[in-house]
Amino acid sequence: MADVARLAGVSSQTVSRVSNGYAGVTEETRRQVLAAMKELGYRPNSAARALKRGEFRTIGVITFSLATTGNVRTLEAIATSAASQGYAVTLLPVAVPTQDEVSGAFTRLEELAVDAVIVIMEVHLLDAATLTLPPHVQVVVVDSDAGDHYTVVDTDQAGGTRAAVRHLLELGHGTVWHLGGPEGSFAAQRRADAWRHTLAEAGRTPPPLVRGDWSAESGYRAGLELAARPECTAVFAANDQMALGLVRALHEHGRRVPGDVSVIGFDDIAEAGSFLPPLTTVHQDFAEVGRLCVEAVLRQMREGGPERGTTLVPTRLVTRASTAPPPA
Amino acid sequence: MADVARLAGVSSQTVSRVSNGYAGVTEETRRQVLAAMKELGYRPNSAARALKRGEFRTIGVITFSLATTGNVRTLEAIATSAASQGYAVTLLPVAVPTQDEVSGAFTRLEELAVDAVIVIMEVHLLDAATLTLPPHVQVVVVDSDAGDHYTVVDTDQAGGTRAAVRHLLELGHGTVWHLGGPEGSFAAQRRADAWRHTLAEAGRTPPPLVRGDWSAESGYRAGLELAARPECTAVFAANDQMALGLVRALHEHGRRVPGDVSVIGFDDIAEAGSFLPPLTTVHQDFAEVGRLCVEAVLRQMREGGPERGTTLVPTRLVTRASTAPPPA
DNA sequence: CCAGCAAATGTTTACGCAAACATAACACCC
DNA sequence: GGGTGTTATGTTTGCGTAAACATTTGCTGG
């Protein structure tokens, strides 16, 4: 900076003013400074800036596994959204979702140059780590019921589930089976609860819950079980991947979809419309979730306090070809 | 830090030593300092550290779209790998893959607190932006032919393609069609070139190239064309999503896979084994690519210079149920 | 024609840390 | 017992920036 100042024949302070776009610099001077910057290839040192300003203009995102579409889409939206506000996004991968690992991430985080954190995670793991968070770092959580401690942004799991289950009931199915996500996942928990609740509302008895782990492979295994039950004519899968595996298992055992069994997924991943048959599913607006996270976190930074409570992003049922009335 | 020093009854330098784990501090003193740190909730300020040390311990990753599995897996591996070396990863999303946007990202990058950059991108866009890179920032590129300017890590596109095409020829198909990726993508280019080359080697005439844009939807559209050609009995799709759409189109037009048409994909995404039929595809080791990127970039930082040349990560043909000999 | 003021620019300082250097305390040897 | 080395700790300094304050310049109005 000093070099630039010398070359432009001004003080370093004036260089700083130009570099930060402050008013009160003559057009003439400004041009000279910019020219000098260019000539010397000057770029402001962000460490010094951060030191002086006391903020990093960076948001940390804690997540384990980018294996699920949802996390990735959300992350993408967060990054884009943050960038448009002049914030960078730093990734904090947590390899194994154990309490230790999560605490570890928070510990690393403490040394990290971030002003705020967005946690995309099954957050029962978060509780014990709470205390170690540096106080001035704002937190927003996705996909969790931590609403009484943090700001939470989530999709409307219950609404989407209700729409899916009702759709199947309206087609005439006596009841709806559920291929749920892994234990310990709040999204899975929510969807299972809403499934049970919607059936109860309609006076139907929920069949036993079948569990997968979100993967297509686990959906396939579950499908092997369900294919053996002729009374099962409608399945609500907790995500599209499991639905995919489920359909494959049904198909391999001669149960046609949707002729014999109707299947609904959740997420509406990009490929869902190209499955065989094209999958009816619940669309989630991950981009909106990401956007809201950034908005919330920036608002918190301005206002200084965490807001409690949960913001829900609506879901939408996308009807394709994997659902139909039950066989006569 | 000064507060900690005062409370522990030592100098701030000693606090620094403890905080950085230097030798030459009595066990006694160390304990007192640690206690003081804990009591005051001391967190080292990373901006000040970075300023003093002249490095950020952060790697920037430039990518557009996290829509493709490959990019995401690679990113994940980069993040994990970097974390294990004590480096953070900052994400630089480029919304639209235009020259301007890319240059823009590089401009933002210049202000950004990173020591090195990994570019995951179709890199013909990179060329014009090259010059603006700050000289001390090391670059590694994924998925590109920029090997003469940068260090490049890539999967062995050609090898994978050759294995796929040969597999189909060995099954007895007269020739192999190719559902290619979008123009301007180097991966797509490589795969198409290798496809042509392998056919030529075997003395077969390549049919016209059909293009998609990586999406399942585009694969479906291409499939509509191919389904109308009875002479087409084997298709090598440039990725699994397009293969998925292709299979759906074929299925809808009464062409059985693999009975009438064999289909091979590329990538081996997690769901490929659950497609109907389970997809034969070329497995890419994205995790290895990510790991090698971090390794290369850190090595460059140590050694100060960019290494030219390309490192190839081997691929592997995964034979499932979507390929078979041609109909009699 | 100069007091008085605003706009443009310069000077000083501190952000928090760690490298470099300085000092103190102690052990060991001849 | 004084020199010599070794280890533990303290002091000074500067990293690059921008806020706060100081100064200069140019202009206005009475």
Side-chain angles (χ1 to χ4, degrees):
Chain A
M1 191 154 108
D3 297 338
V4 173
R6 206 170 309 121
L7 181 59
V10 298
S11 76
S12 68
Q13 183 54 37
T14 300
V15 175
S16 168
R17 282 191 265 257
V18 170
S19 136
N20 288 290
Y22 281 106
V25 180
T26 322
E27 192 48 44
E28 171 64 16
T29 314
R30 161 181 258 83
R31 241 181 308 115
Q32 283 188 341
V33 171
L34 288 174
M37 279 182 178
K38 187 150 201 176
E39 185 173 337
L40 296 176
Y42 166 80
R43 63 184 204 127
N45 177 313
S46 46
R49 269 198 179 165
L51 176 58
K52 190 71 180 107
R53 294 208 275 229
E55 60 165 28
F56 304 100
R57 312 219 113 224
T58 297
I59 298 171
V61 176
I62 299 191
T63 168
F64 46 74
S65 147
L66 298 177
T68 67
T69 332
N71 287 1
V72 173
R73 313 314 308 240
T74 306
L75 172 63
E76 188 174 15
I78 288 172
T80 309
S81 198
S84 77
Q85 309 279 321
Y87 276 76
V89 167
T90 290
L91 219 51
L92 278 131
V94 176
V96 195
T98 62
Q99 187 67 262
D100 275 5
E101 274 282 334
V102 176
S103 306
F106 275 79
T107 309
R108 264 177 286 145
L109 179 71
E110 290 171 9
E111 307 220 340
L112 217 61
V114 299
D115 304 312
V117 177
I118 295 173
V119 180
I120 309 180
M121 197 180 280
E122 314 295 353
V123 179
H124 50 149
L125 291 169
L126 195 64
D127 302 339
T130 304
L131 304 174
T132 69
L133 255 187
H136 61 281
V137 173
Q138 301 298 329
V139 181
V140 168
V141 174
V142 181
D143 183 27
S144 136
D145 67 350
D148 32 337
H149 296 299
Y150 301 105
T151 306
V152 173
V153 177
D154 200 359
T155 26
D156 183 8
Q157 316 279 356
T161 300
R162 199 176 315 120
V165 173
R166 281 199 188 146
H167 171 66
L168 291 169
L169 293 179
E170 279 161 16
L171 284 170
H173 295 272
T175 190
V176 175
W177 293 63
H178 181 45
L179 169 45
E183 271 183 285
S185 154
F186 270 99
Q189 183 71 46
R190 283 278 175 76
R191 292 170 199 178
D193 289 350
W195 160 72
R196 248 185 235 104
H197 188 248
T198 308
L199 284 181
E201 252 177 17
R204 315 300 168 90
T205 321
L209 173 73
V210 184
R211 258 192 214 289
D213 62 9
W214 298 132
S215 75
E217 186 52 34
S218 73
Y220 178 76
R221 284 193 301 271
L224 295 180
E225 279 180 52
L226 293 178
R229 297 170 171 271
E231 76 275 20
C232 167
T233 65
V235 183
F236 163 57
N239 78 348
D240 290 348
Q241 278 87 353
M242 291 197 296
L244 176 66
L246 171 67
V247 168
R248 182 177 145 229
L250 292 171
H251 180 263
E252 284 180 5
H253 288 73
R255 311 262 295 158
R256 286 166 306 132
V257 176
D260 298 319
V261 184
S262 287
V263 174
I264 286 193
F266 207 107
D267 282 357
D268 193 24
I269 63 175
E271 291 81 23
S274 296
F275 286 177
L276 280 181
L279 188 69
T280 295
T281 187
V282 177
H283 180 85
Q284 295 200 64
D285 193 347
F286 296 113
E288 180 68 4
V289 171
R291 212 183 53 71
L292 288 174
C293 284
V294 172
E295 201 175 86
V297 99
L298 293 183
R299 192 171 53 240
Q300 284 187 34
M301 285 169 56
R302 273 199 309 279
E303 296 175 4
E307 318 159 349
R308 269 105 219 241
T310 299
T311 306
L312 287 187
V313 177
T315 53
R316 173 167 52 82
L317 183 69
V318 180
T319 312
R320 297 204 180 91
S322 66
T323 49
Chain B
M1 189 153 108
D3 297 338
V4 174
R6 206 170 309 121
L7 180 60
V10 299
S11 77
S12 68
Q13 183 53 36
T14 299
V15 175
S16 168
R17 281 192 265 257
V18 170
S19 140
N20 287 289
Y22 280 104
V25 180
T26 321
E27 192 50 43
E28 171 65 14
T29 314
R30 159 181 259 83
R31 243 182 304 115
Q32 281 187 344
V33 171
L34 288 175
M37 280 182 178
K38 189 152 201 172
E39 184 173 338
L40 296 175
Y42 167 80
R43 303 275 145 250
N45 176 313
S46 48
R49 266 194 184 171
L51 177 58
K52 188 72 177 104
R53 296 208 273 228
E55 60 165 28
F56 304 101
R57 309 219 114 224
T58 297
I59 297 171
V61 177
I62 299 190
T63 168
F64 47 72
S65 145
L66 299 177
T68 67
T69 334
N71 286 1
V72 173
R73 313 315 306 246
T74 307
L75 172 62
E76 188 174 16
I78 289 172
T80 309
S81 200
S84 77
Q85 309 279 319
Y87 276 75
V89 168
T90 290
L91 218 51
L92 278 130
V94 176
V96 195
T98 63
Q99 187 65 259
D100 275 4
E101 274 283 333
V102 175
S103 305
F106 274 79
T107 309
R108 262 177 287 145
L109 179 71
E110 290 172 9
E111 308 220 338
L112 217 61
V114 300
D115 304 312
V117 177
I118 296 173
V119 180
I120 308 180
M121 197 180 282
E122 314 295 353
V123 179
H124 50 147
L125 290 169
L126 195 64
D127 302 339
T130 304
L131 303 174
T132 70
L133 255 185
H136 62 281
V137 172
Q138 300 298 329
V139 181
V140 167
V141 175
V142 181
D143 183 29
S144 136
D145 67 349
D148 31 338
H149 297 298
Y150 301 105
T151 306
V152 173
V153 177
D154 200 359
T155 22
D156 183 8
Q157 316 279 356
T161 301
R162 198 176 316 121
V165 173
R166 282 199 188 145
H167 171 66
L168 291 170
L169 294 179
E170 279 161 15
L171 285 170
H173 295 272
T175 190
V176 175
W177 292 63
H178 180 45
L179 169 46
E183 271 181 285
S185 155
F186 269 98
Q189 183 71 46
R190 283 278 175 75
R191 291 171 201 178
D193 288 350
W195 160 71
R196 249 183 235 106
H197 189 248
T198 309
L199 285 181
E201 252 177 16
R204 315 298 168 91
T205 320
L209 173 72
V210 185
R211 257 191 215 291
D213 61 9
W214 298 131
S215 75
E217 186 52 35
S218 73
Y220 179 76
R221 284 193 301 271
L224 295 180
E225 278 180 52
L226 294 177
R229 298 172 170 271
E231 76 274 21
C232 168
T233 64
V235 184
F236 163 56
N239 78 348
D240 290 349
Q241 277 88 353
M242 292 198 294
L244 176 66
L246 171 68
V247 168
R248 181 176 146 233
L250 292 171
H251 180 263
E252 285 181 5
H253 287 72
R255 311 262 293 158
R256 287 166 303 134
V257 176
D260 298 318
V261 184
S262 287
V263 174
I264 285 195
F266 207 108
D267 282 359
D268 193 23
I269 63 176
E271 291 81 22
S274 296
F275 287 175
L276 280 182
L279 187 70
T280 295
T281 188
V282 177
H283 180 85
Q284 294 200 65
D285 193 347
F286 296 113
E288 179 68 3
V289 172
R291 212 184 53 70
L292 287 176
C293 283
V294 172
E295 202 175 87
V297 99
L298 293 182
R299 192 171 53 237
Q300 284 187 35
M301 287 169 56
R302 272 198 310 278
E303 298 176 3
E307 318 159 346
R308 271 103 216 241
T310 299
T311 307
L312 287 186
V313 176
T315 53
R316 174 167 51 81
L317 183 69
V318 179
T319 312
R320 297 205 179 92
S322 66
T323 48

